[in-house]
Amino acid sequence: MRRSPLVAVDVVIFTIADGELQALLVEVKSGPFAGRWAFPGGLVPVGEAPDVTAKRELLSQTGIGDVYLEQLRTFGDPKRDPQAHVVSVAYFALVAGKGEGQADNPKYRRMQWGPMRDLPSLAYDHNLLAQSALERLRSKLAYTNIVYSLLPRELTLGELQEIYEIIIGRPLDRRNFRRRILALGLLRPLRRQRRGRHRPAQLYTFTRREPMNVEML
Amino acid sequence: MRRSPLVAVDVVIFTIADGELQALLVEVKSGPFAGRWAFPGGLVPVGEAPDVTAKRELLSQTGIGDVYLEQLRTFGDPKRDPQAHVVSVAYFALVAGKGEGQADNPKYRRMQWGPMRDLPSLAYDHNLLAQSALERLRSKLAYTNIVYSLLPRELTLGELQEIYEIIIGRPLDRRNFRRRILALGLLRPLRRQRRGRHRPAQLYTFTRREPMNVEML
DNA sequence: GCAAAAGTGTTGAGATTACACCCATGC
DNA sequence: GCATGGGTGTAATCTCAACACTTTTGC
C-alpha cells in the first residue's frame, strides 16, 4: 500500500505555425483514455527532479534542446487519472518551429501539432491544463522577453508583431509597436535584410536570449 | 521499491504583525534536520488532492479557515530531503492576524512566528521556498486585491497603506494612495470611525472579499 | 501599374507624480 | 499646546493611443 500518490510531469509545448498558436499532442495508448489526445508526459522516477523529467520528455518529443521551459502548476485531483492517484507537475515550453518532430517515437502511437483554438476533448484533466498554459503564456509574453524562444535567431519587426497579434488575439498599431519594442533595446539590427514578395525588411536579432522581466505591452 | 517520489505540501503562512511581515515556523522533530525550523507541511495521502492537504494543514496550524491560499510551485530536487525523495507542492497563505495559534499542536514541538527579514537557516529547501513566496506575495499584492485577507473586516486607509509599505518596503504618498485606492471602488465607507490616540479615521470595508485581478499599485 | 508589407512623427488625452496645509484627538 | 496621524486639491510631467502617407518590391 502506497503512502502517497505517484508523481508525473506533463508538458504543453507551444509553437507558432500556419499563423496560429499550436501545441504538440500525443495519442494515449492504453487505459480508459486510450485513443484520446493528451499533452506528452511521464512518471517522475525516484531520484530525478521533475524539472529534469520535463526536459527529458521535451527533448525526446521534439529533438530540440534549446527551448524555454517553465513550471506552470501542479494538478493533483485524485480523480484526474482513474487508474491511480497521480499528481502531475505541469510545464509549458516554447519552441521556434514545428521542427522535424520525432515522428517515430515508440512511446506514442501518433503525435501531431494541434491548434490551441479548437482543441478536442483531451485525456485526463488536460483541457484544464491547456487553459492554464494559455493564460500563463499570454501574461508572460506581456511582461517578459520570452518571445525570443518562439522565433529564429534572425527576425523582422513584422514577424515579431505577428506573434504578439496571434497570441493576444488582436491587431496592434505597427508604429506604436515598433517604437516601443525598439526603445526596450532588446533588438540589435543586423546588416542584412529579409527579401520576400514585398519591400525588404530590416533583420534584427535579440541582444540577450535569456529570460528577463520586461514590460513588452 | 517505489516507482515514483513521495508527495508532500508545505505552506508559508504570512501575516503582518508588529509592523512587519511574519511567517509561521515549526520546529522539526526528527531526522537530519531535527531542531531546525521549517514551514509547516506534511505528506499528501493517496486519494487527497494536495490543495486539500494544504488547507487541512493550514487549519490545523492556525485554527483559522477563512484564509487566502494559493499554490506557489513545486520543489522536487531529490536531495532536498536527505531521507527520501519527496516532491513538495508549496503554497502560500495570508491570514489577518497571529490569532491564537494552536500552541499545543502535538505534531510539532514548537511553533512560532518569525519575521521574513531575518529568517534563520531553515530545514530542507525552505529558504528557497521563503524567497519564492515573498516574490509572489509582492507581485500579487500589486495586481490583485488579496490584501483584504491580511486585514480585518473593518479597516482604515492608513492601515491599508501601512501593509503596502511594509511589504513593498518603501513609503507611499498618502494622497496619491488614497485617491487611487478609492477610485478602484474596492472599499465601501462605513458610518463609523476608528478612534485612537489621534484624529478619528474613517472606517471602510472591502466590497468584495474574493480574489480579483486589479491594478493596485 | 497594382497589391502588399515596410518604414516613419506628431498631437491630444489621460494618467501619474510631486507637493503643503489644515484638522481632530489624546496626553 | 504639542505631537501624531487624518484629510484634502492642483499643477507639471510623462505615457499612451490614435492616426496617414510614402517607399520598395514581385508579379
Side-chain angles (χ1 to χ4, degrees), chain A residues 174-175 178-179 198-199 201-202:
Chain A
R174 186 155 35 97
R175 292 157 291 185
R178 297 169 67 88
R179 185 187 15 249
H198 309 296
R199 175 173 173 175
Q202 178 63 237

Side-chain angles (χ1 to χ4, degrees), chain B residues 137-207:
Chain B
L137 174 62
R138 289 211 171 104
S139 76
K140 277 261 165 172
L141 280 182
Y143 71 90
T144 73
N145 66 342
I146 59 172
V147 69
Y148 70 77
S149 53
L150 285 169
L151 284 157
R153 282 197 179 273
E154 306 188 338
L155 60 133
T156 66
L157 286 173
E159 288 159 0
L160 182 61
Q161 182 172 346
E162 190 195 356
I163 298 227
Y164 273 96
E165 290 181 336
I166 288 170
I167 293 175
I168 69 180
R170 76 186 143 87
L172 300 169
D173 182 274
R174 187 157 34 99
R175 290 156 295 188
N176 294 337
F177 181 80
R178 297 170 65 91
R179 191 191 3 256
R180 166 185 265 126
I181 295 293
L182 291 176
L184 295 175
L186 301 174
L187 293 179
R188 182 162 47 87
L190 300 175
R191 287 172 200 285
R192 292 183 303 119
Q193 298 187 318
R194 168 149 309 160
R195 304 183 64 84
R197 275 192 298 278
H198 309 296
R199 174 172 174 176
Q202 178 63 237
L203 280 171
Y204 293 86
T205 193
F206 286 95
T207 52

Side-chain angles (χ1 to χ4, degrees), chain A residues 33-55:
Chain A
F33 290 115
R36 298 273 278 282
W37 294 94
F39 297 111
L43 274 190
V44 175
V46 172
E48 182 173 81
D51 292 15
V52 175
T53 312
K55 252 185 219 112

Side-chain angles (χ1 to χ4, degrees), chain B:
Chain B
M1 173 78 185
R2 298 180 53 82
R3 278 181 296 161
S4 186
L6 293 166
V7 182
V9 298
D10 289 302
V11 187
V12 182
I13 306 169
F14 286 121
T15 198
I16 303 277
D18 310 322
E20 59 183 346
L21 181 65
Q22 311 217 26
L24 190 64
L25 299 171
V26 299
E27 192 180 323
V28 176
K29 260 185 173 168
S30 61
F33 289 116
R36 297 272 279 281
W37 293 94
F39 297 112
L43 273 191
V44 175
V46 171
E48 182 173 81
D51 292 15
V52 175
T53 312
K55 255 187 217 111
R56 202 161 43 69
E57 195 67 30
L58 179 56
L59 183 64
S60 79
Q61 299 318 314
T62 65
I64 312 170
D66 175 30
V67 297
Y68 179 77
L69 180 68
E70 166 179 326
Q71 194 187 111
L72 193 52
R73 68 180 184 102
T74 295
F75 294 85
D77 185 327
K79 294 192 287 284
R80 57 180 292 284
D81 183 339
Q83 300 193 103
H85 187 187
V86 179
V87 168
S88 169
V89 186
Y91 290 80
F92 85 95
L94 303 179
V95 304
K98 287 186 176 177
E100 306 316 314
Q102 308 297 80
D104 53 345
N105 191 311
K107 186 164 166 189
Y108 303 109
R109 187 156 13 185
R110 287 191 292 165
M111 186 183 322
Q112 69 173 51
W113 294 91
M116 285 298 287
R117 56 144 196 85
D118 195 31
L119 283 178
S121 169
L122 302 173
Y124 313 109
D125 52 0
H126 283 193
N127 288 100
L128 213 58
L129 168 51
Q131 197 186 331
S132 284
L134 189 53
E135 278 171 22
R136 177 75 69 90
L137 174 62
R138 289 211 171 104
S139 76
K140 277 261 165 172
L141 280 182
Y143 71 90
T144 73
N145 66 342
I146 59 172
V147 69
Y148 70 77
S149 53
L150 285 169
L151 284 157
R153 282 197 179 273
E154 306 188 338
L155 60 133
T156 66
L157 286 173
E159 288 159 0
L160 182 61
Q161 182 172 346
E162 190 195 356
I163 298 227
Y164 273 96
E165 290 181 336
I166 288 170
I167 293 175
I168 69 180
R170 76 186 143 87
L172 300 169
D173 182 274
R174 187 157 34 99
R175 290 156 295 188
N176 294 337
F177 181 80
R178 297 170 65 91
R179 191 191 3 256
R180 166 185 265 126
I181 295 293
L182 291 176
L184 295 175
L186 301 174
L187 293 179
R188 182 162 47 87
L190 300 175
R191 287 172 200 285
R192 292 183 303 119
Q193 298 187 318
R194 168 149 309 160
R195 304 183 64 84
R197 275 192 298 278
H198 309 296
R199 174 172 174 176
Q202 178 63 237
L203 280 171
Y204 293 86
T205 193
F206 286 95
T207 52
R208 312 179 62 178
R209 292 194 146 241
E210 62 212 47
M212 303 189 316
N213 286 344
V214 187
E215 214 56 54
M216 303 286 286
L217 291 186

Side-chain angles (χ1 to χ4, degrees), chain A residues 48-130:
Chain A
E48 182 173 81
D51 292 15
V52 175
T53 312
K55 252 185 219 112
R56 200 162 44 68
E57 194 68 28
L58 179 55
L59 182 65
S60 80
Q61 299 319 313
T62 65
I64 313 170
D66 176 30
V67 298
Y68 179 78
L69 181 67
E70 166 179 324
Q71 195 187 110
L72 191 53
R73 68 182 181 101
T74 296
F75 294 85
D77 186 326
K79 294 192 288 281
R80 59 178 293 281
D81 183 338
Q83 299 194 105
H85 188 186
V86 179
V87 169
S88 168
V89 186
Y91 290 80
F92 84 95
L94 303 179
V95 306
K98 286 185 177 179
E100 307 315 315
Q102 309 297 82
D104 54 345
N105 189 313
K107 185 165 166 190
Y108 303 108
R109 189 159 10 186
R110 289 190 291 166
M111 186 180 326
Q112 68 173 51
W113 293 90
M116 284 297 288
R117 55 144 198 84
D118 196 32
L119 284 179
S121 168
L122 302 174
Y124 314 109
D125 52 0
H126 282 192
N127 288 98
L128 212 58
L129 169 50

